[in-house]
Amino acid sequence: MNRFASIIVGVAGVALAGSAWAASKGEGIFNEICAACHGEKGVGIPGLAPPLKGSAFVNSTDAAALAAFIQKGRAGKEKKFPNFPADMPPYAGGQDKAAAVVEYVKGDLQK
């Protein structure tokens, strides 16, 4: 393999490892923060918060919009599911952690 190809393979490997790290970090944050309302494995808690696993909303919304949504939270008329009485509180952990949660929620959580 020539040197250029080796560099490309190395960069791709680092990117994939970074993605796996973000997803595992996202899973930890999800379990610590989000699962209290969205349930273990994102199955939702009836009367409290909707399921994220298999959610058309999660699957059809781009990652940047979901990360922004997590950071801002939703209340009142902004709520996607007004039949749930609790507002979704904003997540103050920062953009990188919110993005890691999104990667987990859109990836491994959907499996």
Side-chain angles (χ1 to χ4, degrees):
M1 186 182 308
N2 69 35
R3 185 177 182 160
F4 179 73
S6 295
I7 291 171
I8 296 299
V9 169
V11 168
V14 169
L16 290 173
S19 179
W21 174 83
S24 67
K25 181 178 180 181
E27 181 178 13
I29 296 166
F30 180 89
N31 289 335
E32 181 181 336
I33 306 293
C34 312
C37 294
H38 289 288
E40 185 177 328
K41 304 293 184 194
V43 297
I45 296 178
L48 182 60
L52 301 176
K53 184 175 182 102
S55 166
F57 174 71
V58 168
N59 292 318
S60 66
T61 304
D62 71 59
L66 281 176
F69 164 70
I70 289 168
Q71 291 177 80
K72 183 179 177 192
R74 282 213 173 154
K77 293 181 180 182
E78 293 182 339
K79 289 172 63 172
K80 175 73 176 161
F81 300 99
N83 55 320
F84 289 97
D87 294 338
M88 181 172 154
Y91 174 66
Q95 184 175 3
D96 290 343
K97 290 181 180 179
V101 170
V102 169
E103 188 164 337
Y104 169 69
V105 168
K106 286 183 79 66
D108 288 346
L109 184 69
Q110 299 304 318
K111 295 178 184 174

